[in-house]
Amino acid sequence: MNKLKFFSVAFFAAFSLANAQDIDQAKKAIDAEQFDKAKKILKAVLQAKPSNGTASFLLGNVYTYQREVDSAKIYYQKGIAGSDGAKLNYIGLGQLDLEAKNQTAAQSNFDIAIKDAKRKDATVPTYIARAYMNISKPDFKNAIAILEKAKIDSPQNAELLLALGDAYYLENKQNEAYSAYRSAFQIDPTMLRAKMQLGVLLKGAKSYDLAINAFNEVIAINPNYGPVYRELAETYYKWGRNKPSKSAENMQLAISNYDKYMSLTDYSLASRLRRADFLVLLKNWTELEKEANKMIELDKVNPRIFRYLAYSAFENGNVDVALKSLESFITNPNSKIIAKDYIYLAEIKFKKSIAADGLTIDQTMYASGLIDLKKALELEPLATEDLNDIGKKLFSKKFYKEAASIFELGTKNTEDKNYVDDNIYYALSILYANSKKDVKADLNELKNADAALDKVIVAAPTYQDAFLYKARINRLAENEDFIIKNYEAYIAKLTEKGELANANHKTKVIESYNNLAASYADKDKAKAVEYFNKTLAIDPTNDYATKSLATLK
């Protein structure tokens, strides 16, 4: 009997040790972003011991990360009824409550989780802080407050310090983040993520060469640590964006390091979706379309795949595939639609609306696209920054009226980096649309164009051409006084800048002098003669000035 009892105790001790080792291996897999591997380990633990609350919690976290909320909730709820680590699952449920903007329910769950936690055990406060960080609209201040309080009793807890570093980093407090990461790695030299994050700080400071050196130090410790290759990929991408001379080389290094990251993590659908996001950043549309089609073979249900297929198909010239894919995505009730989706849908419709000969435009299709742009701005007002290029494409094809409607959207957002440019192109679009043959000038539209250029003069007072364009608009509107006022303002601005004799402005200066002379001809002949003579001084063969002078004399 005693032997049997001893055997049972030894067996359960060995069983518990094996479970603990499996949990540790699952944590390492999660840190290494090997999520499929982590799920297999944790499911095996739960199959052997369904009451393992820690395994349920970690498995729920993996599903939460992969945005499979329903699966996450199932494991958190199962974990609550478990044994060891059961209360951690209340933290998981609390995070889901935070995501659902139910702060009261979240706090209630966090209170249950922390109720019986040991004062010097930082596990619970660390996970609660991460719950605040991991939601779509993070609360870093709350996370920092929780971690700093827990740090008083657990100043040497590496996991806590890593979380604190993440919170400070995301709060843009770089010095505090650096201190926390460095301390975490000093306490636990196996914590490669803490050391990697030191490189991430350098990347954020645009010290790309130093960041790459820091990431290579991590690789020297463990060349199979996958996340560091993702950070390398993103660093090379950003370096390529900031240094055009090395862009092609760095973009290639970016994708090769990202592929290395994939090879060391997994090729699950979630990982492929993340790679697709990176391909969008790289604007590698050929590879993205291939990847999207591979993902459809794996999962014909996930709507995000159709977003990637739509984006890449459009950029690769497959407009019909793009339209069908994006409409499938947007009409799917499970899709999380962003402003960019509507912007792409509008671009697709604009492209389809233009006839093959490039001379006419389908107004119904165009109007539908314009509605999509407005939907994009309802979701994200700053999306106006993406509209400038769209307007310019229509402008370059001489669809001025249609371009004006797009630029007008940008003129309403003073925070838009293209605000000045949008106002200029809006005014020019109206000017050219109303200058076409057989088109009667719309005085209200011309008035709006003139007002847009007034905004330009306020926002960019050194931009002299705003006065030139105002003069042209008023010529079309036959406002003689404002023709004179604006052409003279244009000449005055060039004189003020010492650029009146600059050859680059010669044609515009002659235009100004000749139109000023014409406007003065009926009311001040001396002024008219003066301006025609100024034209001839810089262009002695100018036919209009020569003939007009002869008439005046």
Side-chain angles (χ1 to χ4, degrees):
M1 187 72 179
N2 288 337
K3 286 182 181 180
L4 179 62
K5 183 178 179 181
F6 176 78
F7 174 78
S8 299
V9 170
F11 173 79
F12 285 114
F15 180 80
S16 298
L17 179 62
N19 266 263
Q21 288 173 339
D22 286 339
I23 293 292
D24 187 51
Q25 287 301 310
K27 287 181 177 179
K28 288 179 179 178
I30 292 169
D31 176 64
E33 298 174 22
Q34 297 170 332
F35 299 114
D36 273 4
K37 179 180 178 180
K39 284 196 283 190
K40 287 176 184 176
I41 294 170
L42 293 167
K43 285 178 180 179
V45 171
L46 287 171
Q47 188 173 10
K49 187 181 179 183
S51 64
N52 192 311
T54 301
S56 288
F57 172 65
L58 293 175
L59 189 52
N61 285 353
V62 173
Y63 279 114
T64 300
Y65 172 79
Q66 295 183 332
R67 301 179 187 177
E68 296 182 40
V69 178
D70 291 340
S71 296
K73 192 171 185 178
I74 288 169
Y75 282 104
Y76 290 145
Q77 288 175 333
K78 282 183 178 179
I80 286 170
S83 53
D84 50 304
K87 287 195 173 181
L88 290 175
N89 291 278
Y90 284 104
I91 301 174
L93 291 173
Q95 180 175 325
L96 298 184
D97 289 329
L98 287 176
E99 192 65 67
K101 298 180 181 179
N102 191 339
Q103 181 68 45
T104 303
Q107 190 59 56
S108 177
N109 277 314
F110 294 153
D111 288 343
I112 296 170
I114 208 165
K115 183 179 178 182
D116 298 320
K118 294 178 182 178
R119 196 183 64 164
K120 291 191 176 183
D121 183 0
T123 303
V124 170
T126 298
Y127 277 126
I128 290 175
R130 286 211 174 275
Y132 279 104
M133 286 191 275
N134 290 339
I135 54 178
S136 55
K137 292 186 178 179
D139 182 352
F140 306 127
K141 285 183 172 60
N142 216 339
I144 290 169
I146 292 167
L147 292 166
E148 286 289 5
K149 183 179 178 181
K151 185 182 170 186
I152 295 170
D153 293 318
S154 306
Q156 298 297 304
N157 187 294
E159 288 288 349
L160 184 152
L161 291 169
L162 174 64
L164 189 59
D166 290 343
Y168 277 126
Y169 167 65
L170 295 168
E171 187 72 354
N172 292 318
K173 294 185 176 179
Q174 310 304 308
N175 292 336
E176 291 88 344
Y178 178 85
S179 177
Y181 288 140
R182 182 184 59 186
S183 297
F185 185 67
Q186 287 172 342
I187 292 165
D188 182 0
T190 68
M191 188 174 278
L192 294 183
R193 186 166 289 269
K195 184 168 179 59
M196 180 182 77
Q197 287 300 114
L198 295 173
V200 171
L201 291 174
L202 291 167
K203 178 185 70 175
K206 297 184 179 180
S207 299
Y208 302 121
D209 51 344
L210 296 177
I212 288 167
N213 289 339
F215 295 141
N216 284 330
E217 288 177 6
V218 175
I219 291 169
I221 298 171
N222 182 359
N224 294 318
Y225 186 65
V228 73
Y229 294 100
R230 187 196 65 248
E231 295 297 343
L232 267 173
E234 292 177 2
T235 303
Y236 279 117
Y237 161 72
K238 290 187 175 182
W239 202 1
R241 285 282 304 272
N242 282 271
K243 192 172 183 179
S245 63
K246 295 192 71 177
S247 179
E249 177 188 346
N250 283 337
M251 292 303 179
Q252 187 55 48
L253 286 167
I255 195 63
S256 63
N257 275 286
Y258 207 96
D259 286 342
K260 177 75 171 176
Y261 161 70
M262 292 284 289
S263 71
L264 290 169
T265 52
D266 57 51
Y267 283 93
S268 65
L269 183 64
S271 294
R272 285 180 178 274
L273 289 168
R274 186 165 181 171
R275 181 174 184 262
D277 285 329
F278 191 64
L279 290 171
V280 170
L281 282 179
L282 291 175
K283 296 184 179 180
N284 190 335
W285 307 115
T286 302
E287 183 64 25
L288 180 61
E289 190 166 5
K290 289 179 186 174
E291 186 65 44
N293 282 310
K294 287 178 186 174
M295 287 191 286
I296 286 173
E297 292 175 9
L298 290 172
D299 187 338
K300 292 181 172 64
V301 177
N302 193 303
R304 278 175 65 195
I305 301 170
F306 291 97
R307 168 191 281 158
Y308 299 125
L309 184 56
Y311 287 13
S312 56
F314 171 74
E315 298 290 352
N316 293 331
N318 302 324
V319 183
D320 290 332
V321 172
L323 182 60
K324 183 180 177 182
S325 300
L326 199 47
E327 286 180 336
S328 295
F329 173 77
I330 287 175
T331 55
N332 190 315
N334 297 317
S335 295
K336 291 185 178 180
I337 301 168
I338 59 175
K340 199 174 189 70
D341 298 325
Y342 281 120
I343 290 171
Y344 260 106
L345 185 59
E347 280 206 86
I348 292 165
K349 289 178 180 178
F350 293 155
K351 193 164 185 175
K352 279 186 71 67
S353 70
I354 298 173
D357 61 8
L359 299 177
T360 59
I361 190 166
D362 182 329
Q363 289 298 326
T364 303
M365 181 71 78
Y366 167 80
S368 178
L370 193 61
I371 290 170
D372 292 325
L373 288 185
K374 290 175 181 177
K375 288 179 181 177
L377 299 185
E378 287 173 8
L379 289 175
E380 177 50 72
L382 277 177
T384 51
E385 294 185 356
D386 295 323
L387 308 190
N388 186 267
D389 286 340
I390 300 172
K392 284 180 178 176
K393 286 175 185 175
L394 289 168
F395 186 90
S396 68
K397 294 179 184 297
K398 300 185 179 180
F399 293 114
Y400 298 121
K401 187 174 182 179
E402 291 75 19
S405 297
I406 295 171
F407 288 122
E408 185 180 13
L409 297 173
T411 67
K412 296 176 181 177
N413 186 357
T414 57
E415 301 300 314
D416 188 339
K417 66 179 182 181
N418 299 314
Y419 176 70
V420 171
D421 205 44
D422 284 340
N423 274 285
I424 292 169
Y425 271 95
Y426 171 63
L428 290 176
S429 297
I430 289 176
L431 173 61
Y432 296 155
N434 282 276
S435 299
K436 286 185 173 182
K437 282 184 179 181
D438 304 321
V439 171
K440 184 180 179 182
D442 186 317
L443 295 181
N444 283 329
E445 287 185 358
L446 293 173
K447 185 178 178 181
N448 291 337
D450 191 67
L453 290 167
D454 285 336
K455 293 179 187 177
V456 173
I457 290 167
V458 172
T462 61
Y463 184 67
Q464 71 271 353
D465 281 10
F467 295 104
L468 182 74
Y469 299 145
K470 277 172 67 69
R472 291 174 181 174
I473 287 166
N474 282 285
R475 270 176 59 201
L476 196 58
E478 298 180 355
N479 294 327
E480 290 292 338
D481 290 342
F482 288 98
I483 295 171
I484 292 171
K485 179 182 176 181
N486 286 295
Y487 273 126
E488 286 184 339
Y490 172 70
I491 295 297
K493 186 61 70 175
L494 285 180
T495 303
E496 178 188 322
K497 294 169 73 174
E499 297 180 9
L500 188 59
N502 189 317
N504 291 329
H505 305 309
K506 180 179 176 180
T507 301
K508 294 175 182 177
V509 170
I510 290 171
E511 173 194 333
S512 301
Y513 287 154
N514 281 347
N515 279 286
L516 282 166
S519 293
Y520 275 119
D522 290 332
K523 52 183 160 185
D524 189 338
K525 285 188 178 181
K527 270 278 187 187
V529 169
E530 178 188 342
Y531 278 119
F532 279 135
N533 281 329
K534 285 186 177 184
T535 293
L536 293 172
I538 56 176
D539 181 13
T541 63
N542 189 275
D543 188 60
Y544 178 73
T546 302
K547 289 179 179 177
S548 297
L549 264 178
T551 303
L552 285 172
K553 291 178 180 177

